[in-house]
Structures are given as C-alpha cells and as structure tokens.
Amino acid sequence: MQTQHFFIVGDPLILGADISIILVSAAIIFVLTYFKKWGWLWREWLTTVDHKKIGIMYFISALLMLFRGGVDALLMRLQLMFPNMNLLESEHYNEIFTTHGTIMILFMAMPLIFAMFNIAVPLQIGARDVAYPFLNAVSFWLFFFGALLLNLSFVIGGSPNASWWGYPPLSELTFNPGPGENFYILSIQISGIGSIATGINFLITILKMRAPGMRLMDMPLFTWSVLSSCIVIIAAFPVLTVALFLLFMDRFAGAHFFTMTHGGDPMMYVNLFWMWGHPEVYIVVLPAFGIFSEVVSVFSKKVIFGYTSMVVSLLLISVYAYFTWVHHFFTMGAGADVNTFFSISTMLIAIPTGVKVFNWLLTMYRGRIRMTEPMLWTLGFIVCFVVGGATGVMLSVAPADYQYHNSYFVVAHFHNVLIGGTVFGMFAGMTYWWPKIFGFKLNPTLGKWAFWLWNIGFYVCFMPQYALGFMGMTRRIYTYPDDMGWTPYNVVSTIGAFIMALGFVFQVWQIVYSAKRMDRDVTGDPWDGHTLEWSTTSPAPYYNFAVIPKVEGRDAFWKEKKKRSQPDYKPEKRELKPIHFPKNSGIPFIMGVCFFIAGFGLTFHWVWLGVIGLIGVAATLYARSFQYDTEYVIPVEEIKKTEAALGRDI
Amino acid sequence: MITKRRLVRLKNILMLLLLFVMTGCSKNYIVLDPKGPVGHAELRLIILSTILIAIVCVPVILLMLYIVYRYRDTPDNNAPYAPNWESSRLLEIIWWGVPIIIVAILGYHTTKGIYGLVKPPTTDKTPITIQVTSLDWKWLFQYPDQNIATVNHVRIPTGVPVQFVLTSDAPMNSFWVPQLGGQEYTMPGMAMRLWLQADHPGKYFGTGANFSGEGFAHMRFPVIAESQADFNQWVKKVKKTAPPMTQSEYEAIKNPGLIDQRTYSSYPPNSFVETLMKNGHHHTERRNENHDVPSTGTP
C-alpha cells in the first residue's frame, strides 16, 4: 500500500483533522508529563475497577464521540443546505454519514447508557460494586479501543463508506476493496465483546448483589430497565457478532456467505443485521425509560404510578423487540404473510410504550412538580417521544412504509426516538446523578439554555425532514437538484442542526463553569431522592456504603427519611466491618491494547500483526487466570477515616 | 380567560395556516399527490394512521401541559396532592385498552392493504411487464413484449397495470416512483414484482432509494405516462430509429459510472434471466408471488 493511501492527506478537511489530532495528542502528553500525572493516570484511571470511575470514563468517551458524530452531522447538513453544493464529494459524504451512524449508535449511545449503568445501578441496589469488577474494566477498554480503531480510519486507510448497515454486496470486497469496511467490522467486533460482557455483568449484579430485603419488585425502575436492557443485549449482540464475522470471512478469507455468486445470499446479512439492529434500539432506549421513571417520581414528590404496569411493559418490550426486525425491510419482497405479521407485531410495541407514557403523566398528576433540569429533559422527552412513537406507528403500516422507506421521513423518525428518547434520557440522567458522582450540582441556568437550544433545534432540524420525506427526498444522497422544492426545508433543517450544536456548547460550558463555581453538595441528597444512591455521600466513597443498607419495600431511602423525621425515631446502631475489595489491575487496559493491535493488523491484512495482537490477548487471559491474590481488605479504621473526611460520623 | 372572539381569531389563523400548507402540498408533496390506484391505496392508509395516532397523541401532549401547569410546585398552589397514590385499576384498564383498540383498527386496514397490493391494481386491462435492472449507477428498463429497452427513463401507458420485475446487477437499490406508489428493492439474483399504474398522463419523478455507492444520488429517472395510442406510437418510433443493444453495449452500460438517457430498439434475448442466473438465482429456489423466475412474456 502506498503511503498516501495509508495516511489520508489529500483532503484539506482531513489534513486539518490530522494536524489537530497531532497537536492535541502532543498537548496531552506535555500536560501529563509537565504536571507529573502519568502515575496518577495509571493508578487512578487506567487500572481502576471501580464502577463509578469506569462510568465516568464511559461518560467522557461518549461525550467525545457525540462531538465527533455531531461534527459529521453538521458537515452533512452543510452539504445538503443548498442544492448542488460542493463542500463534500460523494465518497467523502458517504464516509461521513457511515461514521455518523456507526459512531452515534455504537460508540455514543452504547457508552452513554453504560455510563449510567455503571454510575447508578450498584448504588441504587445498595451494592459495593458490580458482580465482576475486573470484567467491567475489560468491557470498558474493549469499547475504548474499538472506538479508537474506528476513529483512526478517518486519518489512516480511509473510513467505511457502505452506511452503518454495511449491507453486502456493497460492503463486499468486489465493491469495497479498501480497508474502510474492515475498520467498521473489527471495531464493532472488539467493542461488541465488551457490550456482551457488560450485559452479563449487570444482569448478574442486579440478580445477585441487591441489598438485603430488596426483592425484585422493590427495585427502582431504572434498575428494572437496566435488567431488561441487559436481557436484550445478551440475546441480540451475539447475532451481530456472527453477522459481522461472516462478512469478515467473506472479505478476509474469500468465503461466500453474502456474495452475489457462489451460493451467497446478501438477504441473510440483512436479516441477521436487523435481528440485532432492532433490539439495539430498545437496548439504548429502555434505560432512558428507567431514568425518566426515577426523575418523574422524585420531582413530582410522589411514588411512581402503576409500578407493576411499568415493570410488565419493560419486560414486554424486551421480548417484543425480537419479533419486529422485518419492519426494516418491508420493501424487500418478504411476501404478504410475513409483512402482515411484522406490521402487527410492530404496532403491538406501541401498547406497552404508550402505557409507560400514561403512567408518567399520572405520576405527575396530583404531585408537586419541580422544574429542575432533569425534569425539563423528561418533559422534553415525553413530547418528542410521543411524536416519534406516533410516526413509528405510521411506519409500521407496511403499505404506507413502501412510501416512507429510505426517505427522509424515516431519518426524521429515528432521530425523533433516538435523540428524544436516548439522548434526552441520558441528559436527564447526567444532570440527575451528576452531584452523586462529582459532588456538586450542574449550573441550572446554563442547563436550561442547553435544554431549550437542544429542543428548539431538534424540531427546527427534524420536522422539515418529515416534510422532505413526503416530497420524495431519499436518505444518503450527497446532493440534490433544485427543481424538487426541497431547498427551503433543507435550509431550515441545517439551521436546526446548528441550534442543537449550540446546545451542546452550552452543556460543555455548563460542565466547566459548574466545576469551578458550584457549591459542593454536602447532604448527599440534593434532590430529596427516593432511592438508595442518595443515602450515601456525594461523591460516594469508593466502597459506596460504609454499612450495607437494609431495605424494606420500594423507594427505600424515601421511607427511611420519613421514619427519621418521626419524633420517636431512634437511629439504629450501625456496626462497621472490614470490607473485601477488588484490587486494581492493569490487565484490562493491556488486553484492550492487544485487541487494538490485532484489529489494526487484520484491517490491513497484516496477518503477522494480527497474530501478535491475538497472542497478546491470550497472554493477558493466561496471566489473569493464574492471579489468585485479587482482593484486599479495607480495615475499619480506614472506613472511619474516609467517612469522617466526607463529613459523616459513624 | 379565553374569550370567544379570541377563539374565532385563533380559528382563522389556523385555517390560514392549513390553507398555506395545503397549497404548498399540491405541487411538491408528491407522496401526498398520487396519480394511480396503488399510490391512492397507500395514501388512504397514511391518512388513516395519521388520524388514529393523532387521536391519542394530541390529547396526551395537551394533558401533559395541563398537568405540569396545574401541579407545579409553588407554595400557593392549592391543587390536590396525593404523594402515595400509586394505582387505579380503572385508569390502567383504559391506558391498556385504548391503544389495543387503535392497533386493532389499524392492523385490520393494514392487513387488507398489504394483501391488496400484491394483486394487479385493475383486472379489466391486460397488464404489461417491464423488467428493471439497477446498475452502478443507472437504471435499465427492458420491455419483453415490445422487445425494446431504455436507460434512465421509462414510458408506460396510462390506465394499464404495469408489472415491474426488479433485479440488480450491482449492489442493492430500491425502485421508487412516489406518485405511482411505494418502492420495492432491486436485489441481485432475485426477481421481485411491483404493481404500479398511472391513471393520468404526465412526467413523474422516479429515483433509486437505497444507497448503492458513489453515484447513488444521481440515480433519478423520469417516468412518462401517456395514452395507449401515444405509447404504441413511441414504441414504433423506437423500433424504427433507435440502435439495438448488443451484449457488448450492455457490458459497457454496466461499467460503474453515470450516463444519460438511452433508448434501444432491441436487446439480447433472455438477458434479464441471464442476469438473474449469473447472480445466483438458481441457488435460491423461492417460489411465491414475489420471487419466481419471470417468463419473458406477459404472465
């Protein structure tokens, strides 16, 4: 391979990115060296197995990916603002929309929900960590290096350009000989292993690590939503792994699973992809439902309405999720019987989802609604999601879908549910749990600016896209003629995208400003919360709870607080015991590096490098298998000292 | 308080807005302006589903706004407060019941629509068949009955059901003529059928709808619908004046790239079936209304 094909330098945009990446990396290295922070970075972050720190790392990575995917989106919107624009060429545009989709779903939405899993679940169920803290770190580093591999394609070798679906035969060697598709396949494979491990980890954590007294039907709804999401992850992600593995075999080893000739069948990939792809949507939106349930209840000063209905609908959605995948290709000639089945099954999903919306409304009904930032995001979500859900039902009507399919109507719809659902949900979660993780609240004024900019920007950007769908504009076109009447709608849509970008700027400003200016939360319970995470200090100590709480029923901490306010309340004597705690480990990070080396080698068909990487992976597994001394004991003295430093006496 | 006069004014503004949207509709909203029975059937379902979801969604959003206002957390708010109210059998039955009823209605009409569209839109006229092949990045249309071929434009007679038989000799694409009806994919090695019909003469926008690589954005083609007599006239003229398409010409067209509209007075016999076979049709022996090997003549 020639050097100019290896390092992408031809395009001024990419050259600019090259230079800025080099400058930023140099700056980071300089700062770390100058302030002698390398040891700190290694000890506190790279080797940590603490779920809270892993959550923070997921969160930071997700925000970076949101920025990267967002810049992609802005470039696309600029190119489409006017007909016959020349900002991007076809191939460059194709790479950008492919990475936009891949990053937003797999490297933004996934780590963002995992951030919330990690930050909130163990604290909510009164546990000291997840079931498998070491595996949790492995999951994170596999995600991290998977994301790094995909992002590297931008400057080395060339980005994938066959859309985030990667449908063969377009993604096969015949039509796509470059390394781009290999980057796509291998980066998703590497982070996918991590996702499956996270699914298993949190399922077991929730089933086995709950505080004494907490029955399943006492769990906070966020925990329930994570449980449902994990079930879907465990069942759906292996399908993607298999589909991408077969595609990789086609490309790497000359197999013919999905080729046009020699018995291959591209349709098989389409089915496998969406058997994962549709449940994936629920994987990322169910945790958002959970967050909204927490927020609505706390900020209406009420218990959640219809708890059982909420749990049933979560579980129903996670089961239904597997029976709707064909609605992504009603137009591929599956036949009337199949299309009817999947039309109806898709409509059925609307029922449990609708019930959830009603229950949120009834939770607010006869409550006292506090318009805090998490609550604003929740209300913004309800409106946005009702619209998105409505257009989802419209899309489920197969004959109507023949007209919507592949048009901007679909683009508007899934942004409606993914931004309105997942992204708003995670922002609600971020602002809600922020004080618990960092020890201070986010500035509400800047937050409200961010909220309104995001919301207004959203409608300005995506409502015109519904109209464009009715006007026959198809998705994934890099340019369009001026005789279709599409121009004004595209202009408005682009303006909306920039308003949302401004919202993101406000959020970054909010975080930076709040870190400097906001008061510390000394209560540990800044929102008058209902669940156990608010019973410990903010930020929580690394062992979470000095004494594992005892739980009686739902909204455990709310009830506890009521009990405490009774005049005849006598605090129970709490006895401290030494805590067994997992040791930090560098192995997950090193394993991630080895996977990265293997993935990079296989991307360029450098088998020797791939083998070196995989040997490294095997070596780290081997080393871990013979590590027996993986825990240590925190003595009572140290717990006392830590608690005292956090302002709590035992 | 909202006075009656304000309501009237609000109504007038809404009517004006509606009028504005509707007049905008007529020309550019091509999906909402069908010119044949298939498009009409699909539009009816679009309208029905919009109404049914609006019945639920509009009240929900209004209810939310009302609740947020009524139960705001201010010291002087005297609305009832019931922090432990957590279930109501009646309300929950309604919440589960209303969506179930709506899905039942919509499901019934959807099913009828799906089965209706696999049949020819009208039965009193003999249909014509047009074989469509998507290539990188152009559309090839072959008329087996007339033995003529076109590239990047297609003509059809009005009032006659047209059976498009779709395949691809390149990555997948999707064949879409919004004003005649919804789309269907073109896939290598498969022959899928799409019934469309134009009731009014005109020039309609057709496009590739599924991303197929570099030249995808340029895969547009006009569909010209004209009376049977004009159509016959056109076929005759093509037969007389246009060049034939040879095998080597087909190979040249197939090369990735963009080309203008072309017309041919003949094409290599059986070339459509050969394209199918070459791309693996014999491996996938699926036989139903959408997947059988098309004969070269009318079915």
Side-chain angles (χ1 to χ4, degrees), chain A residues 246-441:
Chain A
L246 297 180
L247 184 60
F248 187 68
M249 283 297 108
D250 278 10
R251 295 180 57 87
F252 187 78
H256 290 281
F257 291 105
F258 309 129
T259 55
M260 282 157 66
T261 49
H262 302 98
D265 187 353
M267 202 60 221
M268 191 159 74
Y269 178 90
V270 175
N271 272 292
L272 289 173
F273 184 83
W274 288 114
M275 274 180 206
W276 161 78
H278 194 78
E280 165 67 11
V281 184
Y282 293 100
I283 290 171
V284 296
V285 88
L286 286 175
F289 290 169
I291 291 172
F292 297 129
S293 302
E294 302 291 325
V295 167
V296 159
S297 162
V298 167
F299 296 103
S300 303
K301 297 190 187 171
K302 267 186 72 188
V303 295
I304 194 85
F305 182 89
Y307 178 92
T308 314
S309 268
M310 290 302 230
V311 172
V312 170
S313 57
L314 279 173
L315 293 174
L316 269 183
I317 293 171
S318 66
V319 175
Y320 276 173
Y322 301 106
F323 298 99
T324 61
W325 81 89
V326 172
H327 73 216
H328 293 271
F329 47 96
F330 280 144
T331 49
M332 283 189 176
D337 301 339
V338 174
N339 278 359
T340 304
F341 177 87
F342 284 96
S343 266
I344 308 273
S345 68
T346 305
M347 287 174 198
L348 287 178
I349 287 243
I351 297 169
T353 318
V355 166
K356 298 194 83 65
V357 174
F358 290 130
N359 283 350
W360 288 319
L361 291 185
L362 282 178
T363 304
M364 291 189 265
Y365 179 72
R366 293 191 178 164
R368 280 292 177 271
I369 301 166
R370 285 181 285 165
M371 284 299 196
T372 57
E373 219 196 319
M375 192 63 190
L376 274 180
W377 285 113
T378 304
L379 296 175
F381 150 80
I382 291 179
V383 176
C384 205
F385 198 77
V386 164
V387 176
T391 54
V393 174
M394 290 171 72
L395 279 160
S396 74
V397 179
D401 177 76
Y402 304 158
Q403 289 280 31
Y404 305 133
H405 187 83
N406 272 336
S407 78
Y408 261 82
F409 189 91
V410 175
V411 177
H413 160 72
F414 67 72
H415 283 95
N416 223 167
V417 284
L418 284 171
I419 294 181
T422 305
V423 176
F424 284 10
M426 296 310 124
F427 287 164
M430 169 185 100
T431 47
Y432 180 59
W433 282 308
W434 190 277
K436 183 49 60 190
I437 292 307
F438 294 101
F440 59 89
K441 274 198 203 178

Side-chain angles (χ1 to χ4, degrees), chain A residues 233-247:
Chain A
I233 290 174
I234 293 167
F237 259 84
V239 184
L240 178 70
T241 305
V242 169
L244 291 179
F245 176 75
L246 297 180
L247 184 60

Side-chain angles (χ1 to χ4, degrees), chain A residues 90 260 265 301 303 306 309 331 333 337 347 362 366 368-371 399 402-403 405-406 470-471 478 489, chain B residues 29-31 68 71 73 79 81-83 86 92 95 110 115 176 178 183-185 209 214 218 279 286 291:
Chain A
S90 173
M260 282 157 66
D265 187 353
K301 297 190 187 171
V303 295
S309 268
T331 49
D337 301 339
M347 287 174 198
L362 282 178
R366 293 191 178 164
R368 280 292 177 271
I369 301 166
R370 285 181 285 165
M371 284 299 196
Y402 304 158
Q403 289 280 31
H405 187 83
N406 272 336
F470 285 124
M471 299 167 105
Y478 77 101
Y489 296 83
Chain B
Y29 288 84
I30 49 182
V31 171
V68 167
Y71 298 101
D73 187 30
Y81 173 52
E86 57 174 346
E92 286 197 71
W95 296 156
T110 302
Y115 282 92
W176 190 27
Q183 65 198 277
E184 182 87 22
Y185 272 64
E214 196 183 338
H218 303 288
N279 290 323
R286 301 192 186 114
H291 284 121

